[in-house]
Amino acid sequence: MCRAVELRQAVLARNDETAHTLRVRLAGRGTTVVNLLSSPGSGKTALLEHELALARERSLPVAALTADLATENDAVRLARSGAPVKQILTDGLCHLEAGMLARHLEGWLPEPTRLLFVENVGNLVCPASYDLGETLRVVLASVTEGEDKPLKYPTAFGLAHLVVVTKTDLARAAGFDEAAFRAHVDQVNPGVEVLLTSVRSGTGLGALLERAEAAAGGGPVHRPVMAPPPPHTHGHPREDPREHEHPGPAVRLTSAQR
């Protein structure tokens, strides 16, 4: 048991060191990372597609990296925004790590990128333990997932800098209790802001981008009181994941960059 604990601590320490190095390096070139975590089907891809398109309308240099176990569907959708997009297929690995992110950004990230959105693997367990060098960690949950989601996944919600509720147009049909949800969020992460959004109705659209811009400009970011947990261990393979690029119209990658 002691050996297992030591191994977990070593894994997390190595990841944190890499994340710190990546954060400093990206900050030096003016890029801020926004890490998006949620369960599968929460609507984060739809929301991110809208926020990227809005950023492009405002001439704000943005890019996105999206991770999935299989298919390039999300990258294809996000590329419709016109922003440069890159897909990582994790081949079964249930989360991204700082080293993986650093490798996939090498030689790809456009130099003027102000905001880099990372759409993590759809999972609220494994990704919660891994710092990716982000400045803003956003956890999303749809109204159809229930008000007790923050209590079921206290680590994910407890370490969030911002919480976003999606699909609020379905709140009445789903019987979503907003007050209960907010109370549960505050129980695991006191003081964190909760945004209400709906891509279909337009509620709250642009708010995520505004919070990201503020963080990139050095504005205050909520500081969770929860201490990061040891990394989640599992038996998934750890091969280097495959990568695919989906550049928007403003960025074309050469074959050497693929």
Side-chain angles (χ1 to χ4, degrees):
M1 180 62 71
C2 289
R3 179 60 177 168
V5 171
E6 291 174 359
L7 179 59
R8 293 190 193 100
Q9 291 174 338
V11 168
L12 186 59
R14 183 169 62 250
N15 181 84
D16 286 349
E17 182 178 352
T18 303
H20 174 72
T21 300
L22 180 61
R23 185 181 290 108
V24 171
R25 179 165 65 84
L26 290 176
R29 51 170 285 168
T31 300
T32 296
V33 177
V34 181
N35 185 10
L36 305 178
L37 286 74
S38 79
S39 300
S42 68
K44 68 177 177 293
T45 304
L47 179 61
L48 180 54
E49 181 182 353
H50 180 279
E51 302 299 281
L52 290 174
L54 182 60
R56 295 279 294 171
E57 291 175 9
R58 296 177 178 177
S59 298
L60 177 65
V62 294
L65 185 149
T66 181
D68 274 307
L69 275 67
T71 83
E72 299 181 29
N73 295 349
D74 287 354
V76 171
R77 290 175 58 189
L78 294 179
R80 294 186 306 210
S81 68
V85 176
K86 188 174 188 179
Q87 175 81 57
I88 292 180
L89 299 181
T90 65
D91 291 331
L93 193 63
C94 64
H95 62 277
L96 289 175
E97 298 177 9
M100 294 166 60
L101 182 62
R103 289 195 299 273
H104 286 284
L105 292 178
E106 194 66 38
W108 171 76
L109 188 65
E111 192 61 39
T113 301
R114 173 74 164 165
L115 293 173
L116 171 65
F117 289 91
V118 178
E119 184 180 14
N120 219 312
V121 180
N123 186 338
L124 284 177
V125 180
C126 307
S129 299
Y130 291 87
D131 181 3
L132 299 183
E134 69 264 24
T135 295
L136 196 65
R137 176 178 289 206
V138 183
V139 177
L140 303 89
S142 69
V143 298
T144 59
E145 295 177 66
E147 300 85 1
D148 60 346
K149 200 77 170 187
L151 303 182
K152 290 183 176 181
Y153 299 93
T155 300
F157 284 89
L159 293 175
H161 301 123
L162 177 67
V163 173
V164 175
V165 179
T166 60
K167 305 183 183 180
T168 56
D169 56 289
L170 300 176
R172 178 174 296 182
F176 180 70
D177 187 334
E178 180 188 335
F181 180 85
R182 288 181 179 275
H184 294 155
V185 170
D186 197 59
Q187 187 174 331
V188 299
N189 193 344
V192 69
E193 183 181 12
V194 177
L195 294 178
L196 302 180
T197 67
S198 168
V199 172
R200 180 168 294 182
S201 71
T203 299
L205 296 186
L208 173 59
L209 183 62
E210 291 172 1
R211 301 306 187 275
E213 284 189 271
V221 174
H222 171 73
R223 296 302 175 192
V225 297
M226 176 181 286
H232 175 72
T233 57
H234 43 67
H236 297 318
R238 299 182 59 80
E239 306 94 1
D240 287 341
R242 292 168 287 165
E243 58 184 271
H244 302 265
E245 294 84 11
H246 293 260
V251 177
R252 299 293 179 186
L253 302 182
T254 66
S255 59
Q257 293 175 306
R258 294 182 183 274

